[in-house]
Amino acid sequence: MNSSQDRGFCSLPAIPLWVNNETLIGSSKRSMPVFNPATGTPAKRVTFASDDDLERALAVAADAFQSWAAVPPVKRARLLFRFKQLVERDHDCLARLISEEHGKTVPDAAGEVLRGLEVIEFACGIPQLLKGEYSPQVGSSVDSFSFRQPLGVAVGITPFNFPVMVPMWMFPIAIACGNCFVLKPSERDPSPSLHLARLLAEAGIPPGVFTVLHGDAELVGRMIAHPTVAAVSFVGSTPVAESIYRQATYYGKRVQALGGAKNHLVILPDADLDQTADALIGSAFGSAGERCMAVSVAVPVGAQVADELVSRLKPRVTALRIGPGDQAGAEMGPLVTEAHRERVAAYLDLGVNEGARLVVDGRGAAVPGQGFFLGGSLLDHVTPAMRVYQEEIFGPVLSIVRAANLDEAIRLVNAHPYGNGVALFTRDGAAARRFMLQVNVGMVGINVPIPVPMAFHSFGGWKRSLFGDHHVHGPEGVRFYTRLKNVTARWPGSTVTGAEFVMPTAS
Ligand code: NAD
């Protein structure tokens, strides 16, 4: 939307930027309404950053970097520890804020906050994580040591589906490493970032170390091209991830760009089908399927397993409890926008036209009020050539693709362009081991439907689910936000006099 002027959104409460530890109303002429997806009504207006706002924010961040990088890591860790306590204090408030703008249920949002908190906990160990290596006497009276230093100003561009957790995959580690961080959250649910910024300020973070700028593709392009920006972290859809990766590489920036997904769950004939059905229902329909690690394809091995699985899933998908995120007992909230609901619903017609069987049609589900609700859907007899299989739907739609044996299932997973997550359900250890080794996917679950690594490991997919060399958070996060320096030192008393023209060796 180009302007909010003529749509009556100007009277809505404005969501500001966060620059220099203060709120700032974005001075761009552009702004956007932020909807409550459960009611379908615009509730707030997010103000966009202008060129001047961006220049100011980056100048403040570049200035802050000079002193922040010099703060001893242990002091940065203490500050993050205070931040962690404040996030714990405001945990419920953050969960409600997420639910109001994203639509997911409050308990699900509370889980998101906890997964973000775990990254702060990890970042609190930064003195240990930044420790270098030391080799005395690499030559006569010569020592050699290496350590990691921050990059400067890093930017993070994040998606709508985890407005707290995904930013927290990035900024606690970036800041702990001594960088300044500029967050450009999704314009669809921008308020939780502001709350986090306030908590960081309350914890004592110096002005300029953490900044929040709102905007869309236009702002992102300007951020990436700006000479002050040293590194770009992106999480979002694959076409945008690929484009950001190319732009950032062109401008010589360090970049990690995580994209979309199509996650398979393969079921062998020896799996417990009741447990598998439970796992599928939660992982396909939790958060209305708007998770990059949601299972969107079930791959039963053998026709009998497939038929039994479908007969177990059908009544459960039909009976999903759909309601506003703050309604007790709701299992699935609305989709994030009306446009996204229409996009997801269109895939159901497409699937039928392509020859799939629509076992449960979520468009027929009873839903409350005018919110962006869509019931759960189940498509059977989906085949690899269909667009409903190839493309990321990112909604409450589970496809069944039948395979004859484990080899065929592995080939199917490996041929798919996305490679974020995958799972195998079985009691057979040898089959699980073969699967784990042969599958070309970044995160693998064995009887675990959503194998999201803990904060002290790193998260990332393969193939078109990640562009760049580094996964996020954990040890890979520390590597991404720092660069290695090596020092070779000798002191005057031991220095050999006279010029040396021969390549130095330890002999
Ligand atoms: P999106 O790609 O539309 O937007 C992500 C961010 O990029 C937003 O901040 C948006 O403002 C910005 N953006 C949008 N278009 C842009 C453009 N042309 N140029 C520059 N910036 C642009 O994604 P979304 O709809 O917010 O989120 C859903 C997507 O994110 C899904 O594809 C999902 O799989 C993916 N996702 C991936 C992971 C992962 O870890 N791989 C995690 C969460 C979400």
Side-chain angles (χ1 to χ4, degrees):
M1 188 168 305
N2 283 332
S3 164
S4 57
Q5 300 291 325
D6 49 6
R7 297 187 184 224
F9 295 130
C10 282
S11 55
L12 297 171
I15 300 172
L17 322 175
W18 184 263
V19 179
N20 211 17
N21 270 1
E22 287 170 353
T23 56
L24 175 74
I25 296 294
S27 66
S28 164
K29 290 194 175 64
R30 300 175 67 233
S31 64
M32 262 189 65
V34 175
F35 284 80
N36 178 338
T39 60
T41 50
K44 301 171 202 160
R45 179 174 62 93
V46 57
T47 65
F48 281 9
S50 64
D51 282 353
D52 287 350
D53 297 333
L54 175 66
E55 287 302 329
R56 181 171 164 218
L58 289 178
V60 169
D63 191 42
F65 175 66
Q66 302 307 322
S67 42
W68 182 243
V71 171
V74 70
K75 289 195 175 173
R76 298 200 294 255
R78 283 183 195 135
L79 196 148
L80 279 162
F81 197 83
R82 284 198 291 281
F83 174 56
K84 171 185 121 67
Q85 290 171 318
L86 295 173
V87 173
E88 282 164 348
R89 182 196 72 190
D90 284 9
H91 172 269
D92 294 353
C93 159
L94 275 163
R96 278 197 307 279
L97 204 50
I98 294 170
S99 176
E100 270 169 35
E101 293 184 3
H102 174 284
K104 66 177 76 176
T105 67
V106 173
D108 188 28
E112 164 178 354
V113 178
L114 270 181
R115 292 309 296 253
L117 258 168
E118 287 163 3
V119 184
I120 312 176
E121 287 168 352
F122 172 76
C124 287
I126 204 67
Q128 167 71 15
L129 295 163
L130 287 180
K131 266 171 32 184
E133 294 176 322
Y134 185 89
S135 301
Q137 205 65 351
V138 291
S140 203
S141 299
V142 179
D143 302 333
S144 179
F145 52 98
S146 59
F147 50 91
R148 304 196 72 89
Q149 290 190 302
L151 305 174
V153 177
V155 299
I157 298 124
T158 54
F160 80 85
N161 66 323
F162 286 109
V164 163
M165 184 185 78
V166 171
M168 288 221 232
W169 281 355
M170 304 172 182
F171 75 77
I173 298 178
I175 286 174
C177 290
N179 301 283
C180 292
F181 193 87
V182 179
L183 174 64
K184 205 304 285 171
S186 171
E187 60 279 32
R188 291 184 246 177
D189 45 14
S191 296
S193 322
L194 261 293
H195 196 93
L196 295 174
R198 287 195 176 92
L199 296 187
L200 275 167
E202 192 180 338
I205 201 106
V209 174
F210 184 72
T211 300
V212 180
L213 297 181
H214 302 299
D216 53 16
E218 214 177 287
L219 175 65
V220 172
R222 295 203 310 270
M223 287 167 92
I224 294 174
H226 200 287
T228 299
V229 171
V232 179
S233 294
F234 173 85
V235 176
S237 58
T238 284
V240 182
E242 187 169 20
S243 146
I244 295 237
Y245 176 76
R246 289 186 196 290
Q247 289 174 58
T249 308
Y250 173 81
Y251 287 108
K253 310 292 165 78
R254 182 173 290 196
V255 56
Q256 55 181 180
L258 283 75
K262 195 82 176 178
N263 306 311
H264 300 65
L265 190 150
V266 178
I267 306 112
L268 293 189
D270 67 353
D272 179 322
L273 279 193
D274 288 320
Q275 276 179 12
T276 308
D278 280 344
L280 277 169
I281 292 291
S283 58
F285 300 103
S287 203
E290 291 172 327
R291 288 179 181 148
C292 64
M293 289 293 275
V295 171
S296 48
V297 184
V299 187
V301 169
Q304 193 186 340
V305 179
D307 291 341
E308 284 179 24
L309 188 68
V310 171
S311 68
R312 279 174 170 79
L313 290 173
K314 183 178 173 183
R316 300 191 57 176
V317 177
T318 312
L320 281 168
R321 286 197 297 273
I322 299 158
D326 59 358
Q327 179 181 296
E331 293 169 324
M332 213 172 78
L335 296 187
V336 67
T337 58
E338 173 67 23
H340 188 54
R341 178 178 63 177
E342 295 310 311
R343 184 183 165 277
V344 173
Y347 273 105
L348 301 175
D349 285 334
L350 177 66
V352 171
N353 291 338
E354 289 181 309
R357 193 159 74 81
L358 188 54
V359 179
V360 181
D361 184 347
R363 293 168 295 189
V367 295
Q370 300 303 308
F372 309 138
F373 294 98
L374 181 67
S377 297
L378 187 61
L379 280 168
D380 196 5
H381 296 285
V382 172
T383 61
M386 293 180 185
R387 274 183 55 202
V388 284
Y389 173 74
Q390 288 293 328
E391 297 172 14
E392 182 183 40
I393 297 176
F394 216 58
V397 181
L398 178 64
S399 296
I400 311 282
V401 179
R402 293 157 178 249
N405 51 48
L406 179 57
D407 284 331
E408 189 182 318
I410 292 175
R411 277 199 300 277
L412 180 80
V413 172
N414 287 350
H416 201 283
Y418 291 116
N420 218 35
V422 71
L424 178 74
F425 272 56
T426 183
R427 290 187 169 92
D428 181 342
R433 199 163 176 281
R434 181 152 71 87
F435 182 82
M436 166 193 91
L437 290 173
Q438 292 181 358
V439 85
N440 286 335
V441 172
M443 294 172 281
V444 181
I446 304 295
N447 298 311
V448 172
I450 305 191
V452 175
M454 290 294 286
F456 38 91
H457 288 268
S458 300
F459 180 109
W462 286 11
K463 300 187 275 185
R464 292 180 64 73
S465 293
L466 186 144
F467 301 86
D469 299 325
H470 292 90
H471 290 202
V472 283
H473 67 64
E476 288 268 290
V478 176
R479 278 181 218 120
F480 180 78
Y481 290 117
T482 54
R483 57 189 160 185
L484 192 68
K485 184 174 274 179
N486 187 277
V487 179
T488 305
R490 177 157 68 185
W491 291 94
S494 63
T495 304
V496 182
T497 50
E500 292 174 35
F501 294 99
V502 176
M503 183 73 183
T505 67
S507 59

